Amino acid sequence: MADGKAGTETARAAPVPHFHVTSFDLGHGPVEPDPAVMQSGHVSVASYVDHERFEKEAALFGTVWLNIADESDVAKPGDWIVRPVACRNVSVLITRGADGVVRAFHNICTHRGMQLLWEESGNGSRFTCPYHAWTFGSDGALRSVPDQDCFPGLDKDASALRPIHLGIWEGFIYINLAPQPAQTLEAFVAPLAGRFQDLPIKHFSRQATMGARIKCNWKLLLEAQSESYHIRALHARTVSSMMSYSGNPFCHPLYWEALGPHRSWSTSINPQFELSDARPVQQFAFTASAQIITTANPLEDTDSAVNGFRGSEPIDRGDPALWAADNMIVFPHVQINAGANGCWMHRFWPISENETDWQARYYYYEPVSLRQEFAQHYATAFNRDTLVEDNNACTRQQNSMKSGAIDHIQFGMQEMACRHSAAVVKTAIDQLHSLPLA
Ligand code: FES
Ligand SMILES: [Fe+2]
């Protein structure tokens, strides 16, 4: 910062809370997050820039459950979506059949391997391959083959779409690309029990999405959303004044914990934040309407049915007036945040060691006034501006890391969630690498 305040102020209201670490189990037996990373906070630069390391992480994405979509993306019978898992070279077709069942398949035609669906979403009960018009049902069955007499002995059952393991939990669709997943989805999400059941996402009917291909490693983006240490410096022009104040200048979390391979924490707010005359548009948007992370100003015209969330039980965050949002990282690549007036989430899809597809989604209640609707658009745009600051910084971070000038980075006590993220990934790929080949 030009004024140097971010680097010189040492006052803080409370110590950084203890970060509770537990073992985790991805189906291959319980293991500990890498102890050296957890204790020292040192993480090798190679883990962000090395191609071999990336290939190991990509292999991990082929074995664990992946939060890939919202169940509402296929809300009605016949709805279908296509989602790439690029680091596995897989295109996933997710359908909701006439029977209401949600299924996942590889988006590949069993005739000659053509990409079956070229669009990202639609509604229909049959999928016709663009190449020679083989047609499949939403249950994956091969329904028809033009000029079938030219395929004597065709085994239509064996020519069905190739299924992918799928499960639904708390409104999100998870897939597992392994032929035989090492654990059930229930076992995978078990450490998150109680952290999602009260989330108001299901009450939020309004959604906004954004995303981009970011030229940096996926873990850098995840880490940027895993600590508030950078708020005061990097976000001095955006969200800093809403979170940093004299009582907690460096935005220490109110609470955090490891939840198996996942983790959760509660971010704090500036209870003294006041809308500024210098920002009349923000002032107009947020006066008597929704601020996604701010509970300090009373909301006068919001729906009380969805405006009651103050964090998942049974976490004790201390003074509720300081609570901004609960943040859940669902291993390996998804972060879901829940505030009083909205939720937002990120999916960080690895592309290469130097590239990530970032997808963000925002959830709001149905506005009951134009002012509320404007506030939601403003909140999304304001959050986007903040994320542009993150993403731009991470791109520069990736580039500078590639110089080779330093061989490790160091996470401090306020970056324990980053330590945990790095430690879990390291242990997970080491464990996966040590398994006998199937
Ligand atoms: S490749 Fe699909 S019908 Fe030929
Ligand atoms: Fe940030």
Side-chain angles (χ1 to χ4, degrees), residues 13 30 34 45-46 75 93 107 109 123 161 165 340 376 383 391:
D34 188 87
V45 167
L93 167 62
N107 182 26
C109 176
N123 183 280
L161 296 179
H165 294 276
Q376 292 174 359
N383 202 278
N391 296 344

Side-chain angles (χ1 to χ4, degrees), residues 74-140:
V74 286
K76 303 185 302 295
D79 283 353
W80 58 266
I81 56 173
V82 171
R83 295 284 186 270
V85 182
C87 70
R88 302 303 305 159
N89 295 314
V90 170
S91 175
V92 181
L93 167 62
I94 299 172
T95 71
R96 186 183 290 276
D99 55 4
V101 176
V102 181
R103 301 176 176 88
F105 305 97
H106 287 270
N107 182 26
I108 179 172
C109 176
T110 55
H111 174 217
R112 281 170 53 188
M114 177 54 66
Q115 180 182 333
L116 178 61
L117 287 156
W118 295 8
E119 308 293 328
E120 289 188 357
S121 63
N123 183 280
S125 59
R126 292 185 169 237
F127 307 114
T128 300
C129 179
Y131 207 177
H132 312 93
W134 283 29
T135 297
F136 302 84
S138 58
D139 59 356

Side-chain angles (χ1 to χ4, degrees), residues 111 134 142 144-156:
H111 174 217
W134 283 29
L142 176 57
S144 67
V145 174
D147 201 12
Q148 188 175 335
D149 289 348
C150 288
F151 290 89
L154 173 68
D155 186 339
K156 291 180 81 170

Side-chain angles (χ1 to χ4, degrees), residues 231 235-244 293 382 386 389:
I231 295 290
H235 298 313
R237 288 171 296 184
T238 50
V239 77
S240 177
S241 62
M242 294 180 177
M243 300 180 71
S244 172
I293 63 165
F382 182 74
T386 307
E389 292 173 331

